[in-house]
Amino acid sequence: GVINIIGNFATVFNDQAYWQRAIASRPASCVKGYLLGGLAWFAIPFAFSTTVGLAAVALKGDPDMRILTPADVSAGLPAPAAITAVLGRGGAAAMLVLLFLAITSATSAELIAVSSILTYDVYKRYINPRATEAQILKVSHYMVVTYALMMSIAGLIFFYIGVSMGWLY
């Protein structure tokens, strides 16, 4: 847990997506937003994971809680299993929506950040310094697709060689 907290705080300071938002924002709103975001970043996942994790442990042996194998735990299934045991199909649907929103938000931020770096810091600076706005927009779209394909391939490779959430954390 401590490694995760320290690592994720470092991510906030080193992640291009955060810097892009900070640079594009007004200073007065940026400071308030980052302070509130930093508090929410820690409090919301901590409260959610602690509650759901303890629920999964407390529900062990309950007929509504499915028995989890080590592979299930490594795949990150204790939270969905606990929520499904407590809230039924509605809870499972809510968990699915929650995961979808979290994943699409993080993916969108990373796609835009990497696209901007590759477009402005590589393409415009070294390949075509006189690029027009239309060319920059087209290259930016290509970079989003290229990075999405690269991450999809990396995800498949990790899946097939057995890299799981248990290995990452």
Side-chain angles (χ1 to χ4, degrees), residues 19-75:
W19 285 103
Q20 282 183 314
R21 288 185 186 109
I23 291 168
S25 300
R26 291 180 320 200
S29 62
C30 185
V31 171
K32 290 176 192 171
Y34 271 78
L35 288 175
L36 290 173
L39 292 172
W41 171 88
F42 180 75
I44 293 170
F46 180 75
F48 180 79
S49 62
T50 302
T51 303
V52 175
L54 290 174
V57 172
L59 290 169
K60 192 174 183 179
D62 187 270
D64 291 332
M65 179 73 173
R66 69 178 266 219
I67 297 172
L68 299 173
T69 66
D72 292 338
V73 172
S74 183

Side-chain angles (χ1 to χ4, degrees), residues 10-25 30 34 104-117 147:
T11 299
V12 171
F13 292 111
N14 295 316
D15 192 344
Q16 178 67 17
Y18 292 106
W19 285 103
Q20 282 183 314
R21 288 185 186 109
I23 291 168
S25 300
C30 185
Y34 271 78
T104 54
S105 173
T107 302
S108 170
E110 292 308 310
L111 286 171
I112 298 303
V114 171
S115 170
S116 295
I117 290 170
Y147 186 64

Side-chain angles (χ1 to χ4, degrees), residues 128-146:
N128 188 1
R130 295 188 182 106
T132 65
E133 288 297 318
Q135 289 172 320
I136 289 172
L137 183 62
K138 184 185 273 188
V139 169
S140 177
H141 291 166
Y142 289 142
M143 294 303 172
V144 166
V145 171
T146 302

